[in-house]
Amino acid sequence: MQTTLLGLAIALILALLTALVGPYFVNWNDHRAFFEAEASRLVGLDVRVAGAIDVGILPFPSVTLRGIEIGPARETSRLRARSLGIELALGPLMRGDVRAAEIRLVGPEFTVGLNSLGQVDWPAMTLATGTLSVDRLSIEDGRAILVDAVSESRLVLDKLLFTGELKSLIGPVRGEGAFAAAGGLYGYRLTAGRLGDDGLRIKLAVDNAERPLSIEVEGLLAAERGTPRFDGNLTLSRPAGSVLASGKAIVNEPWRTTSKVKATSASALFEQVEFQYGPEERAVKLSGAAELKFGARPRLQGALSARQVDLDRLIATSSAPRRLPLAAIQTFAEMFGGSLRAPLPVSLALSVDAVTIGGAVLQSVGTDLRSDGDGWRFDKLDFRAPGFTHVGLSGRLGPATKGLEFAGAVSVDATDPKTLVAWLTGHAGTSAHIRPWQLRGEVTLAADRLAVERLKTDFDRGSIEGRVAYVWPAGDRPAQLDADLRADELDLD
């Protein structure tokens, strides 16, 4: 009995000595085929190890593969990595379970996208489920290239980082990271469930370190015959204040958009859209729907509406609680145009029953807006102003030397011009009765001037034609009025 126990002890000592010392004397590169076969079984694609292979026992069992290439047999590799390190948890391994305490992927590079049919351009994979669980997963210095064959566009994500948990090769996964794209640095947080027959439920949040913009999506990502689809929720927001990567703190006018979204490789339908501009206590709120078309000519079309909008409250400050109508319009245009720059062509139909501005209410405000990225164009804007006045205009709102500038055609038909003038100037004006008045012209409204070219105005005693320009006073410069008017008869009273 003692001989048997002694022999068993000697055998255990020799086995332990072999496990501790053996890896330093074994040329693991001679076993390359074994490692490639096991890795290929896990991911369902051919795995080739072009570099050195290192295996260690202390302090934990580990293996490092260098020069990884993954892809279908006899095809160009779809994924490459400089190295893949796996550290196994010793306790589960002694029980016969394979659990990675840490997996570290360094320098991965892959290209994925949509082909001309809108299908995901990636080879079919058969992941081994329940074979490997991971406590910690880290990805360093990665590079992902996203391509769209239809639009012939591509997006490169550089310096891709990720740190998190991966319970199995098919999820769930949770973690955070960062990447660089289009000259900006982005951080992200990802949570995904276990891949099932119905798809993968994900939650993704992306933040830009240089521009105060946050994107959050949550829903079900699935594929039908290789074509991706997403059904869930989308939130776009800009906070009131933020700190840039440089450490500079900035203050913004906050805005937020939420919607239900159903997306495919061809388009995205946004339903139950809720848009809020400004802080909660003085926000402008609109609701509606929109559709985003992808492809060679991406564009966004939508319609938003509201029962009531108070612009006076939105733009009010302690020093200027209320502004005259033209100044209020200019202030709002600078806020709106400066913060909502469209990255692609946009066409929006807006309608509001009542808009409060300059202390009065504009009724039945409706407009068709278009943007090409450099500014906004009003195809038409119609509303009812004080004095039973109908105003119609069309033109372009874009950047100028100082702030923004509107240039376009304007028509005004006022039944009670006295009330209209009192609203525009903020003064009660003359008590004399003014008969109905009409005006047509090409108007330019900027931060420092108001000009009307090709002016034609009609009233009960005749008509006036010509041009007029008014420059607001600034500093030591007084106000200036420049006019060239022609009339057969003129009664200034």
Side-chain angles (χ1 to χ4, degrees), residues 29 230 284 363 397:
N29 293 289
F230 176 81
V284 169
Q363 297 179 339
L397 179 67

Coordinates of all heavy atoms in Angstrom, one line a residue, residues 29 230 284 363 397:
N29 N 5.5 26.1 -32.0 CA 5.2 26.4 -33.4 C 5.1 25.1 -34.2 O 4.5 25.1 -35.3 CB 6.4 27.2 -34.0 CG 6.4 28.6 -33.4 OD1 5.6 29.4 -33.6 ND2 7.4 28.8 -32.5
F230 N -33.4 46.8 -38.4 CA -33.4 47.2 -37.0 C -34.7 47.8 -36.6 O -35.3 48.5 -37.4 CB -32.3 48.3 -36.7 CG -32.3 48.8 -35.3 CD1 -31.6 48.1 -34.3 CD2 -32.9 50.0 -35.0 CE1 -31.6 48.6 -33.0 CE2 -32.8 50.5 -33.8 CZ -32.2 49.8 -32.7
V284 N -39.1 74.7 -27.2 CA -40.0 74.6 -28.4 C -40.2 73.1 -28.7 O -39.2 72.4 -28.8 CB -39.4 75.3 -29.6 CG1 -40.2 75.0 -30.9 CG2 -39.5 76.8 -29.4
Q363 N -50.4 83.4 -36.6 CA -51.4 82.3 -36.7 C -51.1 81.5 -38.0 O -50.6 82.1 -39.0 CB -52.8 82.8 -36.7 CG -53.2 83.5 -35.4 CD -54.6 83.9 -35.4 OE1 -55.2 84.1 -36.4 NE2 -55.2 84.1 -34.2
L397 N -31.7 81.1 -46.0 CA -31.2 81.5 -44.8 C -29.8 80.8 -44.7 O -29.7 79.6 -44.6 CB -32.0 81.1 -43.6 CG -31.5 81.4 -42.2 CD1 -31.5 82.9 -42.0 CD2 -32.4 80.7 -41.1

